[in-house]
Amino acid sequence: MKLIKVKDYEELSKQAADYFIKKIQSSPAMIIGLATGSTPEGMYRYLVQDYQENRISFRNITTFNLDEYIGLDGSNENSYRFFMNNHLFDHIDIEKSNVHIPCGTSKDSSAECATYEQLIKAHGGIDLQLLGIGGNGHIGFNEPGSSFQSRTSIVELTDKTRRDNARFFNTFEEVPTEAITMGIATIMESKEIVLLASGEGKREAMRLLLEGRVSEDFPASYLHNHSNVTVIADEAALAGLNYSL
Ligand code: PGA
């Protein structure tokens, strides 16, 4: 695991965007895994800016998002499809048919999971996967206790995750209780992974990731078993930590 320490959220966003831009420039038809949440918003802003300055094209890029809430369709502003359109896809030249996000309103969510998993395989797997990290160590919506063998599946969200995400909803009760998420094994098959962490709210998660042991109680810890992971974290997320990578 490599660690890139940056000053603050702006620098994290810029560095993460530059990292992806360089990869896309050298492999314009790559398969990218994307994440939602507050953390990647700045990175997406920089990607859009780069596109608008005509330096990068997404025309041949294919994307797979990590997860989606069950019960929210793409027109719901709290759905992850809406988030991705709003922050990235509506502003760049990606072919919408190359964008993949699990469907949260499928009549058969189990079949949706199997199809999603097959689709990733049919594309030859993900070349570069972006991750955030939950305060409880979740990656995608793989909550503590998730099996390291897990594949794309329906998961129940923990109260902690629902509380963390309630800021986007009118009430806590509105936060969905279930989601579809790529599994940990699915994520681990990505050829390369970049994880972003910003702010003191992520400090405990960074401590457990960088100083702790590999355990299903802290899903992100399994990334230590992947050979090509880069963590980009800011000073606030890393303050006071004693780690050696
Ligand atoms: P955040 O979420 O970027 O909104 O903090 C990260 C995550 O839950 O993976």
Side-chain angles (χ1 to χ4, degrees), residues 91-112:
H91 312 289
I92 59 175
D93 63 346
I94 196 161
E95 297 285 345
K96 285 282 174 79
S97 56
N98 290 340
V99 164
H100 304 285
I101 302 176
C103 174
T105 52
S106 164
K107 285 204 178 66
D108 184 346
S109 292
S110 299
E112 171 68 12

Side-chain angles (χ1 to χ4, degrees), residues 216-237:
E216 287 184 353
D217 293 338
F218 193 76
S221 64
Y222 205 56
L223 297 172
H224 286 290
N225 292 346
H226 192 287
S227 61
N228 194 356
V229 176
T230 301
V231 175
I232 308 180
D234 64 15
E235 285 172 5

Side-chain angles (χ1 to χ4, degrees), residues 36-40 132-134 138 140 167 202:
T36 50
S38 302
T39 312
I133 183 169
H138 74 202
R167 65 189 190 280
K202 295 294 164 71

